[in-house]
Amino acid sequence: MADEATTGRALRPATRVVRAGLPDAVPGAPYLPGPVFAAPYHAPGDPAQSPYTYGRFHNPTWTQYEAALEALEGGPCLLFPSGMAASAAVLATLVPPGGRIVMPTDSYYTTRVLSTQPFDGGWCAAQGIEVIQAPTAGNGLAEALAANAPRGVALLWLETPTNPALEVCDIAALSAQAHTMGALVVVDNTTATPLLQQPLALGADVCVVSDTKAMTGHADLVLGHVAVRDVALLERMRLWRTRLGVIPGPMEAWLAHRSLGTLQVRLAQQCATAQRVAERLATHPAVRVVRYPGLPGDPSHALATRQMQGFGGVISFELADGAAARRFFAATRLVSEATSFGGIHTSAECRARWGGDAVSEGFIRLSVGLEDADDLLADLTQALDTALGAR
Ligand SMILES: Cc1ncc(COP(=O)(O)O)c(C=O)c1O
């Protein structure tokens, strides 16, 4: 397949996602070989002589998709059966017993739950791991790092833009600060994807992504991956994956690879429509606050413009209260009331219904899909009119 060596110039994102991870052309073979379903593989004699031996250890369909991810992330990757399985592997293998984690108060709820209050007795707590939480906005994370530097910090966890508040933090500056104290830096890059933001190039050690979201984008599978700069870190997580058996299904890995080819066109369209939607929300009287890094007035705009190649398809906004949100959902025809984001279907939800996020009853996270932008704007406008009108 065409690469930089053959074309003599850096390939653009649309080309990279279409070609990523495809094997060399073989007459009669498909572009993307189908999923391999196997528990044992033929492996006579010394197991080290067989590239594949047993389905919990490795699988050619994972290898194929991991190669595609590496081409986008800029570092070797490991596939997991969900974003949370990827995050758990990072936390379990990169923080020593008694270590300290600095983590945002406003990152994905389950990641915070996993680190602070998982299972009976607690996992981090049982390991003597201390989790220090600070807000993503402002200097909270930098101050938490500085305050804990004398005691030592093992890992700085970042998520940017955050789900659901869409706060943005400076990956390069925080990575540089964390590295001066010997801490590893992890970035949850789920809302941006490696096409809109490259954490490893910005200085992070590890990148975690829920491929359930925009990476695969069709709302039909659950998957996650990690990317690293230092392969030794990856090998620790590979061992964790193999020993615990937290492995992805070959069908999911193959579907993800197939979906990757449209990532650039999906994101380009979602970013363009999201920009128009955010602008409409910002001027509608039913809306109290809109957060979208692409809005020039957003507190994150300057930093996001420096750090990202696009602002993504997720917007958050606030209506007056829970009753206004219910009227909005009852009136809309094109916005599915559902959790998750990054898919081709526009969806939204009140995050307060789950608990755990510091948001009001009227706070809505909206994920912009691939519907026609004018249709979507018309539908959103009438739903917001209804949300406002009946008050
Ligand atoms: C930012 C972020 N990270 C990680 C996850 C976990 O991903 P998964 O649901 O694939 O386990 C999510 C899920 O919503 C998320 O929003």
Side-chain angles (χ1 to χ4, degrees):
M1 290 295 167
D3 59 14
E4 292 179 24
T6 56
T7 60
R9 60 191 281 281
L11 297 176
R12 303 249 161 83
T15 312
R16 289 194 287 123
V17 293
V18 169
R19 299 286 172 171
L22 299 187
D24 290 340
V26 172
Y31 294 167
L32 179 65
V36 175
F37 300 104
Y41 298 77
H42 291 295
D46 179 3
Q49 300 310 311
S50 299
Y52 294 96
T53 56
Y54 184 60
R56 180 162 44 79
F57 304 165
H58 34 212
N59 174 289
T61 314
W62 307 347
T63 310
Q64 207 168 242
Y65 183 50
E66 286 167 348
L69 293 171
E70 179 170 353
L72 304 180
E73 295 281 13
C77 295
L78 203 59
L79 194 60
F80 284 91
S82 67
M84 280 315 301
S87 298
V90 171
L91 290 168
T93 60
L94 303 190
V95 186
R100 203 162 282 111
I101 305 175
V102 171
M103 177 173 272
T105 45
D106 50 329
S107 52
Y108 176 52
Y109 171 64
T110 311
T111 310
R112 285 182 281 121
V113 169
L114 178 68
S115 4
T116 53
Q117 40 174 292
F119 324 122
D120 289 342
W123 162 18
C124 288
Q127 300 272 337
I129 293 170
E130 188 188 354
V131 179
I132 294 141
Q133 292 187 284
T136 298
N139 290 326
L141 291 163
E143 283 165 11
L145 274 181
N148 288 282
R151 303 193 299 148
V153 173
L155 189 137
L156 170 65
W157 187 281
L158 304 175
E159 181 180 305
T160 181
T162 56
N163 166 25
L166 299 177
E167 296 289 359
V168 174
C169 63
D170 190 331
I171 297 173
L174 286 164
S175 297
Q177 185 186 354
H179 288 156
T180 61
M181 61 187 77
L184 289 170
V185 179
V186 180
V187 177
D188 184 330
N189 202 31
T190 300
T191 52
T193 84
L195 278 198
L196 301 184
Q197 179 172 267
Q198 298 81 42
L200 300 185
L202 290 165
D205 302 285
V206 179
C207 176
V208 180
V209 179
S210 166
D211 293 41
T212 312
K213 310 293 189 300
M215 288 296 289
T216 55
H218 288 70
D220 53 10
L221 54 84
V222 177
L223 216 51
H225 76 265
V226 296
V228 297
R229 286 200 292 169
D230 175 1
V231 75
L233 301 184
L234 197 80
E235 291 314 318
R236 282 197 236 168
M237 291 184 251
R238 191 190 303 280
L239 206 56
W240 167 268
R241 181 177 77 174
T242 304
R243 296 256 163 94
L244 273 75
V246 265
I247 54 168
M251 189 68 197
E252 279 79 359
W254 183 83
L255 279 170
H257 201 159
R258 192 189 64 159
S259 303
L260 191 66
T262 56
L263 180 60
Q264 163 67 17
V265 288
R266 284 187 279 113
L267 279 178
Q269 181 70 32
Q270 285 168 320
C271 289
T273 306
Q275 185 71 37
R276 289 183 62 193
V277 168
E279 285 163 8
R280 175 68 57 90
L281 291 171
T283 57
H284 196 283
V287 178
R288 297 192 160 178
V289 182
V290 187
R291 291 302 308 269
Y292 182 64
L295 287 176
D298 191 273
S300 297
H301 183 66
L303 177 54
T305 303
R306 277 208 313 277
Q307 185 168 272
M308 303 177 72
Q309 287 83 54
F311 304 113
V314 186
I315 300 168
S316 65
F317 64 99
E318 210 174 310
L319 301 180
D321 50 27
R326 282 191 290 280
R327 288 196 295 276
F328 169 81
F329 282 112
T332 175
R333 294 288 165 263
L334 293 180
V335 181
S336 306
E337 188 176 356
T339 196
S340 201
F341 55 87
I344 61 172
H345 324 85
T346 295
S347 65
E349 67 168 338
C350 286
R351 284 302 292 176
R353 68 191 180 135
W354 297 99
D357 289 322
V359 293
S360 70
E361 295 286 325
F363 178 98
I364 293 175
R365 185 190 64 201
L366 172 71
S367 172
V368 174
L370 295 186
E371 297 87 350
D372 179 88
D374 291 327
D375 287 348
L376 204 51
L377 283 167
D379 182 61
L380 284 166
T381 304
Q382 67 79 23
L384 290 169
D385 290 346
T386 306
L388 183 70
R391 292 182 64 223

